[in-house]
Amino acid sequence: FDCGGFVIYTYFQALEIVLPHGPMLIYNKAKRENKLIPFAERKPGDLLFYKGTGKFRYRHIVIIKNNNIICF
């Protein structure tokens, strides 16, 4: 898995939620559905996006676990 594949697999297995592939596409879906939250309000199961530069603004994604981060 890459980071997006790991998130897609985990969300589908745990919650039966289908997500698009890639951090930018997942971010855009969350934004369209008004599901983005401030970092301070994060909780286990939430997604954290890391910014990049250029064409792909968000290049990495992880799942929050107990105020820690599962990195892939």
Side-chain angles (χ1 to χ4, degrees):
F1 290 118
D2 62 2
C3 62
F6 176 73
V7 168
I8 290 165
Y9 176 82
T10 302
Y11 262 57
F12 185 75
Q13 292 298 314
L15 306 169
E16 296 185 358
I17 293 174
V18 176
L19 295 172
H21 188 75
M24 190 68 196
L25 295 175
I26 296 169
Y27 176 85
N28 288 340
K29 177 178 172 52
K31 187 174 181 180
R32 275 193 314 274
E33 295 175 2
N34 200 30
K35 293 184 178 179
L36 298 177
I37 60 166
F39 183 76
E41 295 177 18
R42 72 195 181 282
K43 59 189 179 303
D46 288 341
L47 301 176
L48 177 63
F49 298 89
Y50 287 86
K51 285 186 178 182
T53 59
K55 181 179 177 183
F56 299 103
R57 188 161 178 210
Y58 293 94
R59 301 198 54 89
H60 191 62
I61 186 173
V62 297
I63 301 172
I64 302 291
K65 178 185 176 192
N66 299 331
N67 291 329
N68 294 316
I69 300 171
I70 298 175
C71 292
F72 188 83

